[in-house]
Short mmCIF file of all heavy atoms in Angstrom, two decimals:
data_model
loop_
_atom_site.label_atom_id
_atom_site.label_comp_id
_atom_site.label_asym_id
_atom_site.label_seq_id
_atom_site.Cartn_x
_atom_site.Cartn_y
_atom_site.Cartn_z
N MET A 1 -5.94 -18.62 19.28
CA MET A 1 -5.63 -17.79 18.13
C MET A 1 -4.91 -16.52 18.57
O MET A 1 -3.91 -16.14 17.98
CB MET A 1 -6.91 -17.46 17.38
CG MET A 1 -6.70 -16.74 16.09
SD MET A 1 -8.20 -16.82 15.13
CE MET A 1 -8.18 -15.24 14.39
N PHE A 2 -5.41 -15.84 19.57
CA PHE A 2 -4.77 -14.63 20.06
C PHE A 2 -4.06 -14.85 21.38
O PHE A 2 -3.61 -13.92 22.01
CB PHE A 2 -5.80 -13.50 20.23
CG PHE A 2 -6.38 -13.03 18.94
CD1 PHE A 2 -7.68 -13.34 18.58
CD2 PHE A 2 -5.62 -12.28 18.07
CE1 PHE A 2 -8.21 -12.90 17.39
CE2 PHE A 2 -6.15 -11.84 16.87
CZ PHE A 2 -7.44 -12.15 16.53
N GLY A 3 -4.02 -16.09 21.86
CA GLY A 3 -3.38 -16.39 23.12
C GLY A 3 -4.26 -16.16 24.32
O GLY A 3 -3.77 -16.06 25.43
N LEU A 4 -5.55 -16.03 24.11
CA LEU A 4 -6.48 -15.80 25.23
C LEU A 4 -6.59 -17.02 26.13
O LEU A 4 -7.00 -16.89 27.28
CB LEU A 4 -7.87 -15.43 24.71
CG LEU A 4 -7.99 -14.08 24.00
CD1 LEU A 4 -9.42 -13.87 23.52
CD2 LEU A 4 -7.56 -12.95 24.90
N GLU A 5 -6.18 -18.18 25.62
CA GLU A 5 -6.29 -19.40 26.41
C GLU A 5 -5.40 -19.33 27.64
O GLU A 5 -5.67 -19.95 28.65
CB GLU A 5 -5.91 -20.63 25.58
CG GLU A 5 -6.66 -20.79 24.29
CD GLU A 5 -6.07 -19.95 23.16
OE1 GLU A 5 -4.84 -19.76 23.09
OE2 GLU A 5 -6.87 -19.46 22.34
N ALA A 6 -4.31 -18.58 27.54
CA ALA A 6 -3.36 -18.49 28.64
C ALA A 6 -3.86 -17.58 29.76
O ALA A 6 -3.39 -17.66 30.88
CB ALA A 6 -2.02 -17.98 28.12
N LEU A 7 -4.81 -16.72 29.45
CA LEU A 7 -5.34 -15.79 30.45
C LEU A 7 -6.38 -16.50 31.31
O LEU A 7 -6.98 -17.48 30.91
CB LEU A 7 -5.97 -14.58 29.77
CG LEU A 7 -5.05 -13.78 28.85
CD1 LEU A 7 -5.83 -12.68 28.17
CD2 LEU A 7 -3.88 -13.21 29.63
N THR A 8 -6.60 -15.94 32.50
CA THR A 8 -7.58 -16.54 33.40
C THR A 8 -8.54 -15.49 33.93
O THR A 8 -8.21 -14.31 34.00
CB THR A 8 -6.89 -17.20 34.60
OG1 THR A 8 -6.12 -16.22 35.32
CG2 THR A 8 -5.96 -18.32 34.17
N GLY A 9 -9.72 -15.94 34.26
CA GLY A 9 -10.71 -15.12 34.97
C GLY A 9 -11.01 -13.77 34.34
O GLY A 9 -11.34 -13.66 33.16
N SER A 10 -10.89 -12.74 35.18
CA SER A 10 -11.23 -11.38 34.77
C SER A 10 -10.36 -10.87 33.63
O SER A 10 -10.83 -10.15 32.75
CB SER A 10 -11.10 -10.43 35.96
OG SER A 10 -12.00 -10.78 36.97
N THR A 11 -9.10 -11.26 33.63
CA THR A 11 -8.20 -10.83 32.56
C THR A 11 -8.66 -11.35 31.21
O THR A 11 -8.64 -10.62 30.22
CB THR A 11 -6.76 -11.34 32.85
OG1 THR A 11 -6.39 -10.97 34.17
CG2 THR A 11 -5.79 -10.76 31.88
N ARG A 12 -9.11 -12.58 31.19
CA ARG A 12 -9.61 -13.17 29.94
C ARG A 12 -10.88 -12.47 29.49
O ARG A 12 -11.07 -12.20 28.31
CB ARG A 12 -9.86 -14.65 30.14
CG ARG A 12 -10.23 -15.37 28.88
CD ARG A 12 -10.33 -16.86 29.11
NE ARG A 12 -10.51 -17.56 27.86
CZ ARG A 12 -10.49 -18.86 27.74
NH1 ARG A 12 -10.28 -19.62 28.80
NH2 ARG A 12 -10.67 -19.43 26.58
N ALA A 13 -11.75 -12.15 30.43
CA ALA A 13 -13.00 -11.45 30.10
C ALA A 13 -12.72 -10.06 29.54
O ALA A 13 -13.31 -9.65 28.53
CB ALA A 13 -13.89 -11.35 31.33
N VAL A 14 -11.80 -9.33 30.17
CA VAL A 14 -11.45 -7.99 29.69
C VAL A 14 -10.82 -8.07 28.30
O VAL A 14 -11.13 -7.25 27.42
CB VAL A 14 -10.52 -7.28 30.69
CG1 VAL A 14 -9.93 -6.02 30.10
CG2 VAL A 14 -11.26 -6.97 31.98
N ALA A 15 -9.96 -9.04 28.07
CA ALA A 15 -9.33 -9.19 26.77
C ALA A 15 -10.37 -9.52 25.69
O ALA A 15 -10.31 -8.99 24.58
CB ALA A 15 -8.26 -10.28 26.82
N THR A 16 -11.32 -10.38 26.03
CA THR A 16 -12.36 -10.74 25.07
C THR A 16 -13.23 -9.53 24.72
O THR A 16 -13.51 -9.26 23.55
CB THR A 16 -13.24 -11.87 25.63
OG1 THR A 16 -12.41 -13.00 25.90
CG2 THR A 16 -14.32 -12.26 24.64
N VAL A 17 -13.63 -8.77 25.74
CA VAL A 17 -14.43 -7.57 25.50
C VAL A 17 -13.64 -6.57 24.68
O VAL A 17 -14.18 -5.93 23.76
CB VAL A 17 -14.90 -6.95 26.83
CG1 VAL A 17 -15.52 -5.59 26.63
CG2 VAL A 17 -15.89 -7.88 27.52
N GLY A 18 -12.37 -6.42 24.97
CA GLY A 18 -11.52 -5.51 24.20
C GLY A 18 -11.42 -5.91 22.74
O GLY A 18 -11.50 -5.07 21.85
N LEU A 19 -11.24 -7.21 22.48
CA LEU A 19 -11.17 -7.68 21.10
C LEU A 19 -12.48 -7.46 20.36
O LEU A 19 -12.49 -7.07 19.19
CB LEU A 19 -10.80 -9.16 21.07
CG LEU A 19 -9.34 -9.46 21.31
CD1 LEU A 19 -9.12 -10.97 21.43
CD2 LEU A 19 -8.48 -8.90 20.20
N VAL A 20 -13.59 -7.69 21.03
CA VAL A 20 -14.89 -7.47 20.40
C VAL A 20 -15.08 -5.99 20.10
O VAL A 20 -15.59 -5.62 19.03
CB VAL A 20 -16.02 -8.02 21.29
CG1 VAL A 20 -17.38 -7.58 20.78
CG2 VAL A 20 -15.95 -9.53 21.37
N LEU A 21 -14.65 -5.12 21.01
CA LEU A 21 -14.77 -3.68 20.78
C LEU A 21 -13.91 -3.23 19.60
O LEU A 21 -14.37 -2.47 18.75
CB LEU A 21 -14.36 -2.93 22.05
CG LEU A 21 -14.43 -1.41 21.98
CD1 LEU A 21 -15.86 -0.95 21.70
CD2 LEU A 21 -13.93 -0.80 23.28
N VAL A 22 -12.69 -3.74 19.52
CA VAL A 22 -11.81 -3.40 18.39
C VAL A 22 -12.41 -3.88 17.08
O VAL A 22 -12.42 -3.17 16.08
CB VAL A 22 -10.40 -3.98 18.61
CG1 VAL A 22 -9.56 -3.90 17.35
CG2 VAL A 22 -9.71 -3.26 19.75
N GLU A 23 -12.96 -5.09 17.08
CA GLU A 23 -13.60 -5.62 15.88
C GLU A 23 -14.78 -4.76 15.46
O GLU A 23 -14.97 -4.46 14.28
CB GLU A 23 -14.06 -7.06 16.12
CG GLU A 23 -14.73 -7.68 14.92
CD GLU A 23 -15.23 -9.09 15.18
OE1 GLU A 23 -15.10 -9.58 16.32
OE2 GLU A 23 -15.75 -9.69 14.23
N ALA A 24 -15.58 -4.33 16.42
CA ALA A 24 -16.74 -3.48 16.13
C ALA A 24 -16.30 -2.15 15.53
O ALA A 24 -16.91 -1.66 14.57
CB ALA A 24 -17.57 -3.25 17.38
N ILE A 25 -15.25 -1.57 16.06
CA ILE A 25 -14.75 -0.29 15.54
C ILE A 25 -14.24 -0.46 14.11
O ILE A 25 -14.53 0.37 13.23
CB ILE A 25 -13.65 0.27 16.46
CG1 ILE A 25 -14.26 0.71 17.78
CG2 ILE A 25 -12.91 1.43 15.80
CD1 ILE A 25 -13.25 1.05 18.87
N ILE A 26 -13.50 -1.53 13.86
CA ILE A 26 -12.98 -1.78 12.51
C ILE A 26 -14.12 -1.97 11.52
O ILE A 26 -14.11 -1.41 10.42
CB ILE A 26 -12.03 -3.01 12.51
CG1 ILE A 26 -10.75 -2.65 13.26
CG2 ILE A 26 -11.73 -3.48 11.10
CD1 ILE A 26 -9.85 -3.84 13.54
N LEU A 27 -15.14 -2.75 11.91
CA LEU A 27 -16.28 -2.96 11.01
C LEU A 27 -17.04 -1.66 10.78
O LEU A 27 -17.47 -1.37 9.66
CB LEU A 27 -17.21 -4.03 11.59
CG LEU A 27 -16.69 -5.46 11.53
CD1 LEU A 27 -17.62 -6.38 12.30
CD2 LEU A 27 -16.54 -5.91 10.10
N TYR A 28 -17.22 -0.86 11.82
CA TYR A 28 -17.92 0.42 11.70
C TYR A 28 -17.20 1.34 10.72
O TYR A 28 -17.82 1.93 9.82
CB TYR A 28 -18.02 1.08 13.08
CG TYR A 28 -18.65 2.44 13.07
CD1 TYR A 28 -20.03 2.58 12.99
CD2 TYR A 28 -17.88 3.59 13.16
CE1 TYR A 28 -20.63 3.83 12.99
CE2 TYR A 28 -18.46 4.85 13.16
CZ TYR A 28 -19.83 4.96 13.08
OH TYR A 28 -20.41 6.20 13.08
N LEU A 29 -15.89 1.44 10.87
CA LEU A 29 -15.12 2.30 9.96
C LEU A 29 -15.11 1.73 8.54
O LEU A 29 -15.22 2.49 7.57
CB LEU A 29 -13.69 2.44 10.49
CG LEU A 29 -13.55 3.21 11.80
CD1 LEU A 29 -12.10 3.17 12.28
CD2 LEU A 29 -14.03 4.63 11.66
N GLY A 30 -14.98 0.43 8.42
CA GLY A 30 -14.97 -0.19 7.10
C GLY A 30 -16.27 -0.01 6.36
O GLY A 30 -16.29 0.36 5.18
N TYR A 31 -17.38 -0.27 7.05
CA TYR A 31 -18.68 -0.10 6.40
C TYR A 31 -18.98 1.37 6.12
O TYR A 31 -19.62 1.70 5.13
CB TYR A 31 -19.80 -0.72 7.23
CG TYR A 31 -19.84 -2.22 7.16
CD1 TYR A 31 -19.89 -2.99 8.32
CD2 TYR A 31 -19.83 -2.88 5.95
CE1 TYR A 31 -19.92 -4.37 8.25
CE2 TYR A 31 -19.85 -4.25 5.88
CZ TYR A 31 -19.90 -4.99 7.04
OH TYR A 31 -19.93 -6.36 6.98
N GLY A 32 -18.51 2.25 6.97
CA GLY A 32 -18.68 3.69 6.71
C GLY A 32 -17.93 4.12 5.47
O GLY A 32 -18.46 4.86 4.64
N ALA A 33 -16.70 3.65 5.33
CA ALA A 33 -15.92 3.98 4.14
C ALA A 33 -16.55 3.40 2.88
O ALA A 33 -16.64 4.05 1.84
CB ALA A 33 -14.49 3.47 4.30
N LEU A 34 -17.01 2.16 2.98
CA LEU A 34 -17.67 1.52 1.84
C LEU A 34 -18.94 2.26 1.46
O LEU A 34 -19.21 2.49 0.28
CB LEU A 34 -17.99 0.06 2.17
CG LEU A 34 -18.65 -0.76 1.07
CD1 LEU A 34 -17.70 -0.93 -0.10
CD2 LEU A 34 -19.08 -2.11 1.61
N SER A 35 -19.68 2.68 2.45
CA SER A 35 -20.93 3.40 2.21
C SER A 35 -20.66 4.73 1.51
O SER A 35 -21.39 5.11 0.58
CB SER A 35 -21.65 3.64 3.53
OG SER A 35 -22.79 4.43 3.35
N GLN A 36 -19.65 5.44 1.96
CA GLN A 36 -19.32 6.71 1.31
C GLN A 36 -18.78 6.52 -0.09
O GLN A 36 -19.00 7.34 -0.97
CB GLN A 36 -18.31 7.49 2.14
CG GLN A 36 -18.91 8.18 3.33
CD GLN A 36 -17.95 9.15 3.97
OE1 GLN A 36 -16.74 9.07 3.77
NE2 GLN A 36 -18.50 10.06 4.74
N THR A 37 -18.07 5.43 -0.31
CA THR A 37 -17.45 5.19 -1.61
C THR A 37 -18.47 4.82 -2.68
O THR A 37 -18.46 5.36 -3.79
CB THR A 37 -16.39 4.07 -1.50
OG1 THR A 37 -15.44 4.44 -0.51
CG2 THR A 37 -15.70 3.84 -2.81
N VAL A 38 -19.37 3.89 -2.37
CA VAL A 38 -20.28 3.38 -3.39
C VAL A 38 -21.76 3.64 -3.08
O VAL A 38 -22.61 3.27 -3.87
CB VAL A 38 -20.08 1.87 -3.61
CG1 VAL A 38 -18.69 1.58 -4.12
CG2 VAL A 38 -20.37 1.09 -2.35
N GLY A 39 -22.03 4.29 -1.98
CA GLY A 39 -23.41 4.50 -1.56
C GLY A 39 -24.26 5.26 -2.57
O GLY A 39 -25.36 4.84 -2.92
N SER A 40 -23.75 6.38 -3.04
CA SER A 40 -24.54 7.19 -3.96
C SER A 40 -24.76 6.48 -5.30
O SER A 40 -25.84 6.59 -5.90
CB SER A 40 -23.88 8.55 -4.20
OG SER A 40 -22.60 8.39 -4.75
N ALA A 41 -23.78 5.73 -5.75
CA ALA A 41 -23.94 4.98 -7.00
C ALA A 41 -25.01 3.91 -6.87
O ALA A 41 -25.82 3.70 -7.78
CB ALA A 41 -22.62 4.35 -7.41
N VAL A 42 -25.04 3.25 -5.74
CA VAL A 42 -26.06 2.21 -5.51
C VAL A 42 -27.45 2.83 -5.42
O VAL A 42 -28.40 2.33 -6.03
CB VAL A 42 -25.73 1.41 -4.21
CG1 VAL A 42 -26.87 0.50 -3.84
CG2 VAL A 42 -24.45 0.63 -4.38
N ILE A 43 -27.57 3.94 -4.70
CA ILE A 43 -28.86 4.62 -4.59
C ILE A 43 -29.34 5.10 -5.96
O ILE A 43 -30.51 4.93 -6.31
CB ILE A 43 -28.78 5.80 -3.60
CG1 ILE A 43 -28.45 5.31 -2.20
CG2 ILE A 43 -30.07 6.62 -3.61
CD1 ILE A 43 -29.51 4.39 -1.59
N ASP A 44 -28.44 5.66 -6.74
CA ASP A 44 -28.80 6.12 -8.09
C ASP A 44 -29.26 4.95 -8.97
O ASP A 44 -30.19 5.09 -9.75
CB ASP A 44 -27.64 6.85 -8.76
CG ASP A 44 -27.37 8.21 -8.14
OD1 ASP A 44 -28.25 8.71 -7.39
OD2 ASP A 44 -26.27 8.75 -8.36
N THR A 45 -28.61 3.82 -8.85
CA THR A 45 -28.99 2.64 -9.63
C THR A 45 -30.37 2.13 -9.21
O THR A 45 -31.19 1.79 -10.06
CB THR A 45 -27.95 1.53 -9.44
OG1 THR A 45 -26.68 2.03 -9.88
CG2 THR A 45 -28.32 0.30 -10.24
N ILE A 46 -30.62 2.12 -7.91
CA ILE A 46 -31.92 1.63 -7.42
C ILE A 46 -33.04 2.58 -7.84
O ILE A 46 -34.09 2.15 -8.32
CB ILE A 46 -31.89 1.47 -5.89
CG1 ILE A 46 -30.95 0.33 -5.52
CG2 ILE A 46 -33.28 1.23 -5.34
CD1 ILE A 46 -30.67 0.22 -4.03
N VAL A 47 -32.81 3.87 -7.69
CA VAL A 47 -33.84 4.85 -8.02
C VAL A 47 -34.00 5.01 -9.52
O VAL A 47 -35.09 5.31 -10.00
CB VAL A 47 -33.49 6.21 -7.34
CG1 VAL A 47 -34.43 7.31 -7.79
CG2 VAL A 47 -33.52 6.07 -5.83
N GLY A 48 -32.92 4.82 -10.25
CA GLY A 48 -32.98 4.93 -11.69
C GLY A 48 -32.63 6.32 -12.19
O GLY A 48 -33.00 6.70 -13.28
N ASP A 49 -31.92 7.07 -11.41
CA ASP A 49 -31.52 8.43 -11.76
C ASP A 49 -30.21 8.37 -12.55
O ASP A 49 -29.14 8.25 -12.00
CB ASP A 49 -31.33 9.26 -10.50
CG ASP A 49 -31.07 10.73 -10.80
OD1 ASP A 49 -31.45 11.19 -11.88
OD2 ASP A 49 -30.48 11.41 -9.93
N HIS A 50 -30.30 8.45 -13.88
CA HIS A 50 -29.12 8.34 -14.74
C HIS A 50 -28.85 9.70 -15.39
O HIS A 50 -29.24 9.97 -16.51
CB HIS A 50 -29.32 7.31 -15.83
CG HIS A 50 -29.61 5.95 -15.29
ND1 HIS A 50 -28.63 5.18 -14.70
CD2 HIS A 50 -30.75 5.22 -15.22
CE1 HIS A 50 -29.15 4.03 -14.33
NE2 HIS A 50 -30.44 4.03 -14.63
N GLN A 51 -28.16 10.57 -14.69
CA GLN A 51 -27.87 11.90 -15.22
C GLN A 51 -26.51 11.96 -15.80
O GLN A 51 -25.56 11.47 -15.42
CB GLN A 51 -28.02 12.96 -14.14
CG GLN A 51 -29.43 13.08 -13.66
CD GLN A 51 -29.55 14.15 -12.56
OE1 GLN A 51 -28.58 14.58 -11.98
NE2 GLN A 51 -30.77 14.54 -12.30
#
């Protein structure tokens, strides 16, 4: 998919770790943005605070 099949040994391991790290950062930022966008509305709905 990303061409990792062509890499060998340590290079392949470093590329895999790098891709996992990039994926983790993207998910962290995405969930953080989602949490800030709708977090308070969800908490208000669960608690029942309708002001």
Side-chain angles (χ1 to χ4, degrees):
M1 187 165 143
F2 293 107
L4 293 178
E5 306 83 34
L7 302 176
T8 59
S10 298
T11 309
R12 186 174 187 173
V14 169
T16 301
V17 170
L19 282 173
V20 170
L21 180 61
V22 168
E23 181 182 2
I25 291 170
I26 291 170
L27 288 172
Y28 177 78
L29 293 175
Y31 285 130
L34 181 65
S35 175
Q36 282 191 340
T37 303
V38 297
S40 60
V42 171
I43 297 297
D44 289 345
T45 301
I46 292 171
V47 173
D49 186 23
H50 301 287
Q51 295 180 345

